Amino acid sequence: MSLRPTLDFLLYDWLQAESLNQRERFADHSRETFDAVLDTCERIAREKYAPYNRTVDTQEPHFDGEKVILPQATHDAHKAFVESGMLSAAQDYEIGGMQLPYTLQAAANSFFAMASVSIGANMLTSGNANLLMVHGTPMQQSVFAANEFAGRWSGTMCLSEPQAGSSLSDVATRAVPDGADFQDDPLGPRYRLFGNKMWISAGDHELTENIVHIVLAKIPDENGKLIPGTRGISLFIVPKKMVDTEGRLTGERNDIALAGLNHKLGWRGTTNTLLNFGEGKFPVGGKAGAVGYLVGAPGKGLHCMFHMMNEARIGVGTAATMLGMAGYHASLDYAKNRPQGRHAQKAGASAGGPAGKDAAKPQVRIIEHADVRRMLLAQKAYCEGALALELYCARLVDEQKTGDAQAADDARLLLEVLTPIAKSWPSEWCLEANSLAIQVHGGYGYTRDFPVEQYWRDNRLNMIHEGTHGIQAADLLGRKVLMEDGRGLQLVAARITDTIARAARVPSLAAHAKALAEALDHIGSATKAAWATGNPQEALANAVPYMQAFGHTVLAWIWLDVAQHALERDASKALPATVGRVGATDYFFNYELPKIGAWLRVVERRDPTCAALPEEAF
């Protein structure tokens, strides 16, 4: 089974990606150039990534005291990816980019995520560089971002600390001015950083000649004290190796030391590190302190970093989606080929009476069993629906960048509301798809003879990556649906209502359209009820059930829209793909959407069960 037909339908038939070529920025492109990019990435993923997915899982990164050792396959895959130009695919021609729509870049990158999600950390490099293209100085862009886009250097994001975790208010890394002339450095105001960063993906390796760390730290006040809370956080470029204004390595290493490698459940092909900044192991200019260059204004670090974090959240959602998709394809292939069991006989049959089975008959393939089909259909509904959502968000990015003023602003706000869903929904439900893939394989699913156990392990990390469910849920209910007087929520509702109106005219979808309208109304009333007392503690106590219900409503909308477009092009359902899309839609509305009632009831009542239980009662 190939991913490509699904991508082609979503890109060209559903999202009308080819129409983007009518915009000035993408005028040089055509369906042919888009297909050529997809062909290239599909080939590289098939040849350089997929065959080594198990290799990078079993040959984990290790530190020999001087450098981190990775399998040769990782080096080969990274080289092929860099040579493809995909790191800078959506960037301007002037800096070596292709000026591809981000929608196409996201679709093309899905091949790599499905083939082997933990080979390389290119998402972080492109996100790092994109942040600098928005918030960095021209010199920072030409020296750091340009070399990242070219693949010479790679990038990270350094937020978490051992004592702080996700609580960025408690960041304790210090950044002090480096000399009297610190403001005059052409690479940006120069500081010395001291502190520790934990869980840094791709924090040390030999894949590139340099690593650009984007680091959150606090600048002490005039009394030498750190400003409490997030408003004191600033953002710094801290390269592993020192560079000059032409982007050349000076031969001096920055004061960043690898304190250790973290060995995780999954994503074992990517180094995960604890880094010490400024401990004096590699003194710069004869003194301790990692040299860093300020990005943006002091105290505005989180504002800048969120540009990268939001992009990373959509990337994590895509990674979760494609791991789920990999498991779905593997279990579907297994179910089509594994013979086991027999069909039940009709009541009164000679072989055992009601529900009896005739052992003399040949075994059937397990895809012929209803419960296996249920598990396969659930996987299809979760994973293909999530892929459609991620590509829809990517299409909004293009609209934000190239649409007219009103369309661009609407796209911006829609992305604000949908990003927590785009990150968290696939992280939960495509993980469930991986669990179902193991179940389809039976006992074999738990063995390393089949790939599905690794897909589950890799995917389990995505519920933590770039903010937990709780963080995303609090962001959604506590900020996103309220911002700008609720206009973002209104925009989402308007898009859903438009789909409902179109689907209601299709007889086979009319009941689903009605169910979605009721779900949308329920989301609206639950949002108001959650905030009825104006008490954030009460409103947010059940933020995760709210996000689950919101996410299921969004995915029901996505599926209804996909089904409506599929039937518009193939009303007689002559194509098996159309039957599959309508069937996945039916499944989602019949089996999944009804779940939102239970989730929203605790939201509406501001149920205190979880928040109020005393600690000693656990």
Side-chain angles (χ1 to χ4, degrees):
M1 182 179 181
S2 171
L3 170 67
R4 185 63 177 273
T6 299
L7 274 181
D8 283 348
F9 172 82
L10 293 175
L11 283 174
Y12 299 125
D13 294 326
W14 183 53
L15 291 175
Q16 302 292 305
E18 197 174 358
S19 68
L20 289 168
N21 299 330
Q22 299 169 15
R23 301 185 180 186
E24 182 179 357
R25 178 172 180 79
F26 310 125
D28 292 341
H29 293 294
S30 64
R31 170 72 181 262
E32 287 71 27
T33 62
F34 288 172
D35 283 345
V37 169
L38 296 174
D39 290 342
T40 298
C41 292
E42 187 175 20
R43 176 183 57 78
I44 295 172
R46 182 176 63 249
E47 295 175 357
K48 299 294 185 181
Y49 282 67
Y52 307 104
N53 190 47
R54 180 64 78 184
T55 301
V56 300
D57 185 60
T58 56
Q59 298 179 25
E60 291 187 65
H62 67 275
F63 183 47
D64 68 359
E66 294 184 5
K67 60 182 181 295
V68 173
I69 308 299
L70 293 168
Q72 183 59 43
T74 303
H75 291 265
D76 295 341
H78 182 264
K79 182 174 184 289
F81 183 84
V82 169
E83 290 175 350
S84 75
M86 290 306 295
L87 273 170
S88 58
Q91 300 303 315
D92 296 346
Y93 293 136
E94 288 75 15
I95 62 169
M98 304 182 201
Q99 286 190 198
L100 273 176
Y102 180 67
T103 308
L104 260 292
Q105 185 181 33
N109 282 335
S110 69
F111 289 114
F112 303 109
M114 185 170 174
S116 183
V117 74
S118 71
I119 291 184
N122 302 306
M123 174 187 75
L124 292 174
T125 297
S126 60
N128 179 314
N130 284 333
L131 179 153
L132 295 178
M133 294 305 295
V134 175
H135 299 290
T137 66
M139 178 72 75
Q140 290 171 343
Q141 293 169 3
S142 64
V143 170
F144 297 105
N147 277 304
E148 290 182 89
F149 283 135
R152 287 181 58 211
W153 301 350
S154 59
T156 74
M157 54 192 298
C158 299
L159 290 74
S160 297
E161 297 180 4
Q163 83 292 341
S166 298
S167 179
L168 298 181
S169 297
D170 298 311
V171 162
T173 299
R174 303 167 66 90
V176 298
D178 184 29
D181 63 344
F182 80 100
Q183 291 276 21
D184 302 327
D185 197 302
L187 292 175
R190 189 180 64 251
Y191 288 76
R192 294 275 182 155
L193 275 69
F194 303 86
N196 314 102
K197 293 292 181 179
M198 181 61 126
W199 313 119
I200 309 307
S201 295
D204 205 342
H205 54 74
E206 300 293 315
L207 292 173
T208 55
E209 67 179 38
N210 204 1
I211 301 174
V212 180
H213 301 290
I214 293 289
V215 184
L216 292 182
K218 292 184 176 181
I219 302 170
D221 62 18
E222 61 275 10
N223 298 314
K225 295 183 178 181
L226 300 183
I227 300 172
T230 58
R231 64 187 180 89
I233 296 176
S234 299
L235 188 66
F236 300 87
I237 299 167
V238 189
K240 176 181 177 180
K241 299 176 182 178
M242 302 301 295
V243 303
D244 64 19
T245 56
E246 299 298 319
R248 296 178 297 234
L249 302 184
T250 66
E252 188 172 27
R253 180 165 174 171
N254 207 351
D255 194 11
I256 308 168
L258 175 63
L261 296 176
N262 300 307
H263 298 282
K264 289 191 170 183
L265 176 78
W267 283 64
R268 292 175 175 175
T270 299
T271 56
N272 191 276
T273 61
L274 169 61
L275 300 177
N276 292 341
F277 292 81
E279 70 175 11
K281 186 173 183 178
F282 303 103
V284 180
K287 61 179 182 178
V291 174
Y293 307 99
L294 183 68
V295 179
K300 299 296 183 182
L302 272 191
H303 170 74
C304 299
M305 180 61 90
F306 267 111
H307 184 95
M308 182 178 182
M309 289 170 67
N310 284 334
E311 181 176 333
R313 284 170 176 170
I314 294 175
V316 167
T318 302
T321 297
M322 301 320 297
L323 282 164
M325 192 77 79
Y328 167 52
H329 283 201
S331 62
L332 178 59
D333 180 68
Y334 185 83
K336 287 180 176 179
N337 290 284
R338 165 71 172 175
Q340 184 174 320
R342 294 162 180 85
H343 290 307
Q345 303 286 323
K346 291 183 179 180
S350 59
K357 297 178 182 180
D358 186 350
K361 289 190 174 182
Q363 292 183 319
V364 299
R365 295 168 304 136
I366 63 172
I367 196 171
E368 297 181 48
H369 298 305
D371 192 55
V372 172
R373 291 196 171 202
R374 174 190 63 82
M375 292 187 284
L376 291 172
L377 193 49
Q379 291 178 69
K380 180 181 179 68
Y382 298 153
C383 300
E384 291 187 13
L387 178 58
L389 172 63
E390 301 301 333
L391 292 176
Y392 182 85
C393 288
R395 183 67 173 77
L396 289 175
V397 171
D398 285 322
E399 196 64 37
Q400 185 179 356
K401 290 181 177 178
T402 64
D404 61 47
Q406 186 60 59
D409 192 57
D410 287 353
R412 170 194 63 81
L413 200 49
L414 281 165
L415 275 170
E416 290 278 10
V417 177
L418 291 177
T419 294
I421 302 300
K423 187 274 175 187
S424 288
W425 198 92
S427 299
E428 179 171 4
W429 295 98
C430 293
L431 178 68
E432 174 62 16
N434 288 130
S435 181
L436 291 171
I438 292 174
Q439 190 76 6
V440 169
H441 280 73
Y444 288 111
Y446 297 92
T447 71
R448 293 193 177 186
D449 298 319
F450 291 85
V452 288
E453 60 86 26
Q454 182 186 344
Y455 296 145
W456 187 93
R457 286 188 290 105
D458 284 341
N459 215 352
R460 185 59 184 82
L461 275 65
N462 287 314
M463 295 179 79
I464 295 289
H465 281 160
E466 306 309 326
T468 64
H469 273 16
I471 289 172
Q472 304 298 332
D475 182 43
L476 178 67
L477 180 55
R479 194 166 73 90
K480 295 298 178 62
V481 298
L482 304 177
M483 65 191 303
E484 299 184 24
D485 296 323
R487 191 168 74 87
L489 182 57
Q490 292 165 15
L491 283 171
V492 172
R495 299 285 175 108
I496 294 175
T497 300
D498 178 67
T499 296
I500 290 169
R502 284 184 282 106
R505 296 192 289 269
V506 181
S508 61
L509 299 179
H512 297 335
K514 182 176 183 293
L516 182 56
E518 292 170 353
L520 182 60
D521 286 343
H522 202 173
I523 290 291
S525 62
T527 306
K528 293 177 182 177
W531 286 102
T533 64
N535 184 335
Q537 295 294 328
E538 292 182 1
L540 299 180
N542 295 291
V544 167
Y546 176 85
M547 184 175 69
Q548 289 172 312
F550 197 111
H552 260 50
T553 302
V554 167
L555 265 292
W557 159 49
I558 292 289
W559 267 119
L560 188 62
D561 205 68
V562 165
Q564 188 268 319
H565 278 78
L567 289 172
E568 192 173 60
R569 289 156 178 76
D570 181 23
S572 64
K573 294 196 284 190
L575 300 174
T578 303
V579 176
R581 291 181 181 111
V582 173
T585 303
D586 290 341
Y587 173 87
F588 203 89
F589 275 85
N590 293 336
Y591 287 76
E592 295 293 333
L593 189 61
K595 295 176 181 177
I596 75 166
W599 290 325
L600 291 179
R601 276 193 292 275
V602 296
V603 175
E604 290 172 315
R605 296 198 305 262
R606 299 180 298 284
D607 188 280
T609 300
C610 299
L613 191 68
E615 181 177 334
E616 59 272 17
F618 281 94

